[in-house]
Amino acid sequence: MKIMEIKEILEAEVLTGEYDPETEIEIGCSSDLMSEILAFGKPGAILLTSLTNIQVINTANVSDIKVVCFVMGKIPDENIINLARKNDVIVFITKLTTFESCGRLYKNGLKSCSYFNLDK
Amino acid sequence: MDNKRTTTKIQELTYELKIKEVMSKNVETVGSKMPVSHLRDILYNKRISGIPIVNDNNLVGLISIEDFIKCLEHNEMDALVEDKMTKNVKTLYADEPLVHAVMKFEKYGFGRFPVISRKDKKLVGIITKSDIIKGVLKKLETAYHDEEERRYRASHIFNDVIADEIFFKFQYYVEGKNFDKAGEAATGLKKTLYRLGLSPEIVRRAAISTYEAEINIVAFTKGGRITAYLEPHQIRIVITDKGPGIPDIEKALQPGFSTAPGWVRELGFGAGMGLPNIKKFADKMTLKSTVEKGTRLVIIIKLSDYRNED
Ligand SMILES: Nc1ncnc2c1ncn2[C@@H]1O[C@H](COP(=O)(O)OP(=O)(O)O)[C@@H](O)[C@H]1O
Ligand SMILES: [Mg+2]
């Protein structure tokens, strides 16, 4: 799914500026626990979360997650946006709830990370 | 909706670049006392759409191809340039940002603007829309090459350094309880390994496991350090801290076990998954701890794609 489609589906606003709207995002994940994202997040994914601190961006960075979408209308601080820009993480915000955001993306065909396991 | 906040890379470049960096410096000029007919060869041969009129390097006017055609129509080829030129010429300063040129092109719809120096107002160049496009494209291209080159050069260290075996050591210091800085070591190491040309999957596994270990230092200890060794066949990451140590290591390794206080949980950690995550992403992990003294965690990530081999 193209990043611009995701933006439209989530009625999202972009906070990080420049991005390629044609970038393909194939997989989505969502949690407010960053260790969970570190365990099952996939490279190139979009992460939906209602947690807003710089560790969300660090988590995206080390996991090669391309887009972070802060849900429920939460607006991250400027230092979070700056860190995201520095590390080429795209930041979206949406007023939708976590469930609504994930539901809409899933319905439109975005794949999920499916199972959680700690095996290699 | 987000147009106001979105500045594209190209917009950014139009603020960064100065007009003098993209303008044409070899300007064809003509003196004001010449006959209009004199312009024909220049306009035709050089395929340009306008000529600045200059006396002693001072810009006094401009004749565009439209002005010239008008003279042709009215049979005025013998008229002097100074009687037919536009006198009130809109100009740009060489040191202005490129975005000013973009705005002027939009405002006036002209095909070109002479560029003058701010100091002595003398003509130093001319700028057209195609100069702007060429300048921005060139800058985009060099920005891209710089990043590629950095990566390329770094990976060549392995070929350029002469030794029987090469080891790199990267040292990071981690403060206890400082969550604002947590992650700087892991993300720094990640960028470093990537620039050295390691595969994204290896870099990702090293980064995630280092990050979880770094979070533990910040969350539970008085501080510590992370030392990463890039060795011929593996990355070895040694994480040590100054205590309080782990009383029951077996328990600590169980998924879900956590003694994390509330402030750690509020930040998205403390679900008892850090050590299990490290185990998942590392090829080998050793954890040793002495209560009150401190903890030593060693993470090994093999460089060969061992998973496909067995
Ligand atoms: N460096 C350390 N020093 C002291 N205790 C630690 C250290 N690392 C881990 N622990 C202990 O091990 C537990 C489990 O760690 P971990 O799996 O990372 O989960 P979490 O950090 O979510 O609690 C922690 O809650 C803590 O009690
Ligand atoms: Mg932990």
Side-chain angles (χ1 to χ4, degrees), chain A residues 35, chain B residues 212 216-217 220-221 241 243-246 252 257-260 269-276 295:
Chain A
S35 286
Chain B
E212 285 283 15
N216 280 353
I217 296 187
F220 302 114
T221 80
D241 65 63
I246 305 173
F257 175 84
S258 177
T259 61
F269 291 87
M273 285 174 38
L275 294 170
T295 300

Side-chain angles (χ1 to χ4, degrees), chain A residues 7 11-15 18 32-36 38-39 41-43 51 53-55 58-59 61-64 87 116-120, chain B residues 1-2 5 7-9 179-180 182-183 187 190-191 204 207-208 211-212 255 266-269 271 273 276-277 279-283 307:
Chain A
K7 182 175 170 285
E11 302 169 34
E13 194 179 328
V14 188
L15 299 189
E18 163 228 353
D32 293 343
L33 277 174
M34 292 304 108
S35 286
E36 287 184 358
L38 292 164
K42 294 280 182 291
L51 187 73
N53 66 58
I54 59 163
Q55 299 313 332
N58 283 334
T59 296
N61 183 359
V62 296
S63 308
D64 291 330
N87 292 294
F116 169 70
N117 64 53
L118 285 166
D119 303 338
K120 303 212 183 216
Chain B
M1 185 164 57
D2 56 342
R5 292 200 205 221
T7 43
T8 65
K9 183 79 195 162
F179 241 91
D180 290 338
T187 55
K190 182 187 178 197
K191 198 162 258 171
R204 181 172 185 268
I208 293 180
Y211 181 52
E212 285 283 15
E266 269 162 36
L267 288 161
F269 291 87
M273 285 174 38
N277 262 354
K279 207 168 169 188
K280 169 182 166 136
F281 287 104
D283 288 314
R307 281 170 201 201

